[in-house]
Amino acid sequence: MTTWISTTTIIVAISAALLWGRFYYVRMNGAVAQFKALQLEYATLLREQQGVTFKIKKVDGRYHYTMADGQLFYRLGLTQADIGKTMEDIVPESMHAYIRSVYDRAWAGEQFQYESELKGYTYLNSVMPIRKDGETVEVIIVGSDITGRKKAEQDMQESEDRYRRLVDLSPDAIMVIANSKLVLANQKAVQFLGDGSLERLMERPLRAMVHPEYVARASKHVQQVLENRDVLRPFESVYLRVDGKPIDVEVTASWMQYNGEPAVMIIFRDITQRKLEKQLLQETNKMLAELAHVDGLTGIANRRHFDDLFDKEWELAVHGALPLSVILCDIDYFKAYNDSYGHQEGDTCLRQVAGVLSSLPLPNGGFVARYGGEEFIVLLPETNLEDAAVFGSMLGNQIKKLGIPHRASRVSSSVTISVGVAALTPTVLIDKEMLVRHADKALYEAKQQGRNQMKVYGSESFIKEGV
């Protein structure tokens, strides 16, 4: 679908969103007559436009039409009696799913265009969610009869004064660029980019308003809008205040006519705070993700993290036809240690053992994790069985050197570990859990044969008492 929004669409959209703000301003100043005149002007503007402007609101999961007017509205065979009805009441059943999906996108906060057909008319709709406190409260949809867009442009052509009033009432910053110059700006734009003086802002070169890293892209966008009479979806950029301070902005741009000349209307808002909040959220999520992968007692990787990394290393080993080794370690008679010294000392023992295991220089990006209770697991990528057995023996010796007293042990006066070692070269036909099962069987044999020793799955030559 060719993206197109006429001058009429822009005027009507801004009018519908902003004239009520003007009404409030006029009424608060007591100009009742002027207020009534503006009300009439607003109603006339909506009714006489060749397209259609309508609002929808979501109530109890259903979309209701809360306002609608415009010539196209009546050409579709609808009347003011249809206001308040639901989408299902007006739209043919065959289109319910499509129109609901469109409205759902709008209610989620998305700005976009879509085509629809009703009663023989095909029209282009521009969707603008109205949000308050981060929630959509209603949606304004402006539709144009595609076949009559030229006539609609002529009928709804607005004067420069009308543009200026509407622009000044906008809650967003608005600038109009024509012939490579800034020709119009509202007070929000002066507030964001200037020093309070509209004249000085108008005198600034356009390139001076955009951060150097974004100048080329900004120029390309302006050219694209002018050449294609296009409307750009919201995008992020960085503008510069007159004092050189950068501000993060969200920008949209659309083609328009200004004093009979092609021009670009740029609408932007300061999103610096939103970006800071987003960055904080990302950092918080990162921290939570890291905490989710860390064992709370020992501070080393937990079993979940091991499973994630094991999956990745297994895939790498399969593709590279590389060996992969697993070492399972279990603290000997740890239950008796807890019963003898108490659980607090038991926790201290676990932390000491984990500290030793995690401090060892693991080859080829290997890592240690707490596998559960008093059990630890070591994964050694690109390591064959013999080298893994040598490393497993070193683990036992390092724990023995800690010299943690263990009066309840039946094999030593200090804390020791039993070790099970397994290795294989993964293939697509092998279940990765087989490697862990092999290491677990080796550990079981080491414990059955007296503990304080290592056993290698599938080999008797590496069994060592005292590890």
Side-chain angles (χ1 to χ4, degrees), residues 81-331:
D82 293 308
I83 305 303
K85 292 183 179 179
T86 67
M87 179 270 291
E88 290 82 3
D89 295 331
I90 293 178
V91 177
E93 185 175 358
S94 61
M95 296 179 63
H96 283 182
Y98 170 65
I99 298 300
R100 173 168 287 277
S101 69
V102 168
Y103 290 176
D104 285 344
R105 287 172 59 193
W107 205 256
E110 184 179 349
Q111 295 185 14
F112 58 97
Q113 291 181 296
Y114 73 97
E115 285 188 10
S116 58
E117 295 183 0
L118 185 64
K119 299 184 179 180
Y121 287 91
T122 300
Y123 50 101
L124 181 68
N125 296 298
S126 299
V127 180
M128 294 182 296
I130 305 301
R131 297 175 70 82
K132 181 179 180 181
D133 298 329
E135 299 289 336
T136 300
V137 296
E138 65 178 355
V139 175
I140 297 177
I141 301 178
V142 180
S144 296
D145 184 349
I146 295 176
T147 60
R149 60 189 181 185
K150 293 297 182 181
K151 184 177 183 301
E153 287 177 2
Q154 296 171 359
D155 291 346
M156 299 299 295
Q157 191 64 253
E158 294 291 338
S159 68
E160 180 181 347
D161 289 341
R162 177 66 55 81
Y163 282 132
R164 192 177 298 275
R165 288 200 301 271
L166 295 176
V167 166
D168 283 340
L169 288 171
S170 171
D172 291 325
I174 297 179
M175 301 187 299
V176 176
I177 296 173
N179 296 318
S180 301
K181 294 181 180 180
L182 180 63
V183 295
L184 185 66
N186 68 352
Q187 287 303 311
K188 276 291 185 180
V190 175
Q191 175 185 334
F192 287 151
L193 300 178
D195 58 359
S197 170
L198 175 61
E199 291 73 19
R200 283 192 288 274
L201 176 63
M202 301 287 284
E203 292 171 356
R204 289 185 69 191
L206 294 178
R207 295 176 65 89
M209 300 182 192
V210 183
H211 192 282
E213 294 181 6
Y214 293 83
V215 168
R217 188 173 71 168
S219 299
K220 181 180 178 181
H221 284 163
V222 169
Q223 192 65 26
Q224 176 184 340
V225 171
L226 288 173
E227 291 180 354
N228 302 328
R229 295 194 172 191
D230 208 352
V231 176
L232 297 184
R233 295 172 61 88
F235 61 91
E236 292 186 5
S237 186
V238 178
Y239 286 176
L240 295 177
R241 291 177 50 86
V242 70
D243 58 7
K245 180 182 177 181
I247 59 172
D248 294 302
V249 293
E250 183 180 72
V251 186
T252 59
S254 63
W255 183 90
M256 64 175 293
Q257 278 193 337
Y258 185 82
N259 285 343
E261 297 289 335
V264 177
M265 176 184 288
I266 296 175
I267 305 174
F268 66 95
R269 61 184 58 181
D270 186 351
I271 60 169
T272 303
Q273 185 61 34
R274 189 175 82 186
K275 293 201 71 172
L276 289 175
E277 293 172 354
K278 181 179 179 181
Q279 180 181 354
L280 178 61
L281 179 61
Q282 290 173 339
E283 292 173 353
T284 301
N285 289 338
K286 181 181 179 181
M287 181 182 67
L288 292 175
E290 291 174 350
L291 290 176
H293 288 155
V294 174
D295 178 62
L297 175 63
T298 63
I300 65 174
N302 59 16
R303 182 164 181 171
R304 176 187 295 176
H305 194 31
F306 169 81
D307 290 338
D308 291 342
L309 294 178
F310 187 28
D311 288 342
K312 295 176 182 177
E313 292 295 342
W314 183 271
E315 291 297 324
L316 291 173
V318 169
H319 290 301
L322 301 169
L324 192 62
S325 297
V326 164
I327 302 174
L328 274 172
C329 311
D330 191 275
I331 300 176

Side-chain angles (χ1 to χ4, degrees), residues 4 12 31 99 109 117 127 219 262 289 299 322 376 397 413 428 443:
W4 173 86
V12 173
I99 298 300
E117 295 183 0
V127 180
S219 299
L322 301 169
F376 298 86
N397 291 332
S413 60
V428 294
L443 174 61

Side-chain angles (χ1 to χ4, degrees), residues 39-58:
Q39 281 185 311
L40 179 61
E41 178 184 336
Y42 170 71
T44 303
L45 177 66
L46 287 180
R47 182 154 296 161
E48 292 182 355
Q49 60 160 310
Q50 291 303 305
V52 59
T53 299
F54 59 97
K55 295 182 182 180
I56 60 171
K57 196 174 187 70
K58 192 173 185 180

Side-chain angles (χ1 to χ4, degrees), residues 327 380 387-397 417 419 421 454 467:
I327 302 174
L380 299 175
D387 291 339
V390 172
F391 190 79
S393 179
M394 181 177 66
L395 295 180
N397 291 332
I417 60 174
V419 179
V421 181
M454 177 182 71
V467 193

